[in-house]
Amino acid sequence: MKIRILGYYGGYPYNGIGTSGYLIQSNNFNLLLDCGSGVLLELEKYLNPLQLDAVLLSHYHHDHTADIGVLEYYWQLNTENRKEPTLPIYGNINDKINFDGLTWNNDTKGIPYHENDILNLGPFLIKFMKTKHPVSAYAVKIIEKSTNKSFVFTADTRYFDGLINFCKNADLLITDTNFYKNKKGTKWHMTSKESGYLAKQSNAKNVIISHLPQYGSLDELLNETRDEAGSNAKVNIAKLGLQINI
Ligand code: ZN
């Protein structure tokens, strides 16, 4: 399974780099996980968007969905050479207005996923866990059926202990790390220290911190995470276009 980072800022794009988006590929199947601001432009560098097999959205905050509308137009305006006649876009159904927006003519179609169901999608089995966020958001565990390798994406969430089991022994874990360790007050994302703790407790084999802040030193954010994770954990920071093979 290959995972490519198409955008990693939280909230808004910055310095030519977009918000949340990841291309997951296995056995010629192309899954786009989240479709934030700037993600479609970045995706086009690597894949004709008509070659997508499916899109999966962790939640409906704009920094995870901003490019869904233009992706729908891309499909509407290109009726030839689609890999699928209609692009399936998977999302939660708790927010009906946003869910209904995933269906556009016969070009794209919203399909609900449910926390207690395992989604069987091409080469993947996908599990969900509701996170702690102001809107319904779901962490996803994507398991490659042929290898049993697993990729976990925390989506957006504040820290809670239930994440540890969900992330257990992941071959790749990408965490929402939007705050430096000294962040005070109400938090709807994890701090560097909390991501480091999750990296350590989950025993994930490879960890990448993402959903990054536009301020401060990202080297410091990474060092804070590594300090908490300990020397056994392999922790790195998101880079645009980086591809990880697991
Ligand atoms: Zn969010």
Side-chain angles (χ1 to χ4, degrees), residues 75-234:
W75 275 63
Q76 178 184 4
L77 297 169
N78 293 279
T79 54
E80 305 287 323
N81 302 317
R82 294 179 184 177
K83 192 169 176 188
E84 296 289 333
T86 301
L87 177 65
I89 305 178
Y90 291 84
N92 79 69
I93 205 163
N94 303 336
D95 176 339
K96 191 171 182 320
I97 290 174
N98 276 304
F99 177 78
D100 287 349
L102 305 181
T103 297
W104 183 248
N105 302 326
N106 291 318
D107 304 304
T108 68
K109 181 170 176 51
I111 301 177
Y113 62 71
H114 302 284
E115 184 179 20
N116 296 323
D117 294 343
I118 296 175
L119 175 61
N120 192 339
L121 184 62
F124 305 124
L125 294 175
I126 305 180
K127 298 179 180 180
F128 302 90
M129 185 178 65
K130 198 163 199 283
T131 69
K132 310 286 188 190
H133 206 53
V135 299
S136 291
Y138 293 86
V140 296
K141 177 183 264 186
I142 301 177
I143 300 161
E144 187 177 42
K145 288 185 262 187
S146 62
T147 63
N148 219 26
K149 293 281 176 90
S150 63
F151 160 50
V152 177
F153 174 56
T154 65
D156 285 9
T157 186
R158 69 169 170 79
Y159 176 79
F160 63 105
D161 285 336
L163 286 166
I164 295 173
N165 202 34
F166 193 73
C167 301
K168 207 80 185 172
N169 299 320
D171 293 283
L172 174 66
L173 168 63
I174 294 185
T175 68
D176 167 4
T177 312
N178 200 227
F179 296 127
Y180 294 86
K181 68 177 183 183
N182 57 4
K183 170 75 176 174
K184 299 284 188 291
T186 306
K187 295 188 288 279
W188 291 113
H189 303 279
M190 287 189 281
T191 67
S192 52
K193 190 171 165 129
E194 289 166 335
S195 271
Y197 182 76
L198 179 59
K200 184 177 186 176
Q201 297 300 324
S202 68
N203 199 35
K205 297 178 183 70
N206 195 348
V207 178
I208 292 183
I209 61 172
S210 191
H211 207 278
L212 303 177
Q214 290 86 354
Y215 57 92
S217 159
L218 294 181
D219 287 342
E220 187 182 334
L221 192 80
L222 177 58
N223 287 336
E224 289 176 355
T225 310
R226 285 176 169 166
D227 284 349
E228 183 68 26
S231 53
N232 288 335
K234 185 177 172 213

